[in-house]
Amino acid sequence: MGGRIARLHDGNPPPQLILAALETLLAHETLRLSERNRRFLSFVVTQTVAGHSDRIKAYSIGVDVFGRDDSFDPGTDPIVRIEATRLRSALATYYETAGASAPVRIAMPPGSYVPSFAWRPSGNGSTRPASAADTGRATTTGTTLPTIIIKNLTDRAARLAATHGDLFIETIMKRLVAAGFRLFAMPSAERKAAATAISKLLLHPDETYALDIAVHPMSTGQRFSWCGTDLRSGEIICSDFVDEADRDAPCANTIDMIAMQAVQSVSKALAG
Amino acid sequence: MEQAQKRGLTRLLLRWPERRAQLREKFARDPGFAELCEAYEAACEAEAYWTKSTLPVGPARAREYDALVSATEQDILIRLALS
């Protein structure tokens, strides 16, 4: 999961979200699929994600999924065609009911066994974040606030900026948690399990927003920037920066003040 | 394809005479439902084919398609309930 989370929304869903959507779909108790149709769905999705959609034919599905031998004739044994129709119907029913809020949609267009993947269509075209009342967890005031996935994009090679970035994100996290937001930090690539868990969070973007922060070294100081993204649409919901140009090493109090400004900006955008 | 969909609908009209109006209405406005009717027709035809087959695998295939006919009927009832 390199780069900014918002980039996941450029074009079609990325492979890791498609596979996470598949996992969620198959685990959902309301999805009416037989065990072999679950294998069927897994087969076509994983083959497509792996770039092998050309291998998805009635014959290969009959042999690899439905246990037919090499004498399989789809003409007299239309098992694949029938089960594909049932699979399409089950997916359509799921996305009309329990899976209505699923952001990544897996479909099998009529006339093909190669699945298609798409983001959930926006109901009213609005790209504004959901209201606080629609999302997240309850706060002490009785309102609810969404989940935020925070990531520090400061270049670690710039040592001073990296240190200030750590201080900056620490204060932001502390303040956001105190405000009632549920917070996750993007883990390093080595922490694969945590990254996978966060990938699953991205499947429920009504409740989840991305917040990227960074400290950029400049010729006369540093720029502290933050950028909040609505994960349903990729729209930037708040983005701002503060240039600390007076000295190269702003004191902790200055960093805290800038962090507070960032938190107020994010809170206002998400909680109104 | 359209003919197979209509044959499937006809089977369903005979199968559930009390639901005829609902079946016709759903068939007319839900392409996914029409495709299920076609799948139902294909399952019924395959069941008949394998029931008559003299191949060793025939009885097993016939049982498989018999189960598939029932499962497709359940899918159709669920789709009808979403009307």
Side-chain angles (χ1 to χ4, degrees), chain A residues 227-267:
Chain A
C227 177
T229 306
D230 179 348
L231 285 176
R232 292 168 303 175
S233 62
E235 181 187 11
I236 305 298
I237 55 167
C238 64
S239 179
D240 210 342
F241 59 85
V242 171
D243 288 340
E244 179 60 29
D246 291 338
R247 51 189 180 274
D248 284 342
C251 69
N253 284 345
T254 303
I255 295 174
D256 286 351
M257 291 296 291
I258 299 170
M260 279 297 293
Q261 194 174 331
V263 167
Q264 285 171 3
S265 167
V266 173
S267 298

Side-chain angles (χ1 to χ4, degrees), chain A residues 9-191:
Chain A
H9 292 264
D10 295 339
N12 290 326
Q16 67 267 36
L17 284 192
I18 292 169
L19 294 174
L22 173 66
E23 194 179 328
T24 301
L25 186 63
L26 294 177
H28 207 284
E29 59 187 18
T30 63
L31 181 72
R32 289 190 73 257
L33 280 185
S34 63
E35 189 53 42
R36 68 180 185 179
N37 267 3
R38 289 171 191 269
R39 289 202 309 272
F40 184 2
L41 181 61
S42 293
F43 176 81
V44 295
V45 169
T46 53
Q47 289 288 331
T48 302
V49 167
H52 302 314
S53 59
D54 56 315
R55 297 181 189 171
I56 300 175
K57 310 284 184 196
Y59 183 85
S60 61
I61 296 167
V63 172
D64 292 338
V65 178
F66 292 100
R68 298 316 202 234
D69 60 25
D70 53 10
S71 67
F72 174 54
D73 175 8
T76 57
D77 191 357
I79 186 76
V80 178
R81 183 159 55 93
I82 294 168
E83 293 290 24
T85 302
R86 296 186 62 223
L87 182 52
R88 286 186 196 102
S89 181
L91 290 173
T93 301
Y94 174 76
Y95 290 126
E96 287 169 20
T97 55
S101 64
V104 175
R105 302 293 177 91
I106 299 172
M108 191 187 288
S112 171
Y113 303 125
V114 178
S116 63
F117 313 108
W119 296 109
R120 178 188 61 183
S122 174
N124 55 9
S126 168
T127 54
R128 286 183 57 77
S131 69
D134 295 336
T135 56
R137 68 177 185 177
T139 66
T140 53
T141 60
T143 59
T144 55
L145 294 173
T147 297
I148 297 172
I149 300 172
I150 191 166
K151 186 172 186 182
N152 185 353
L153 298 176
T154 305
D155 181 4
R156 303 303 300 181
R159 293 177 63 184
L160 184 60
T163 303
H164 291 163
D166 291 341
L167 292 172
F168 188 40
I169 200 168
E170 278 174 11
T171 304
I172 288 175
M173 289 194 293
K174 181 181 174 184
R175 297 290 180 178
L176 286 174
V177 168
F181 289 96
R182 195 163 173 238
L183 206 60
F184 290 83
M186 280 300 288
S188 62
E190 295 76 29
R191 294 173 60 194

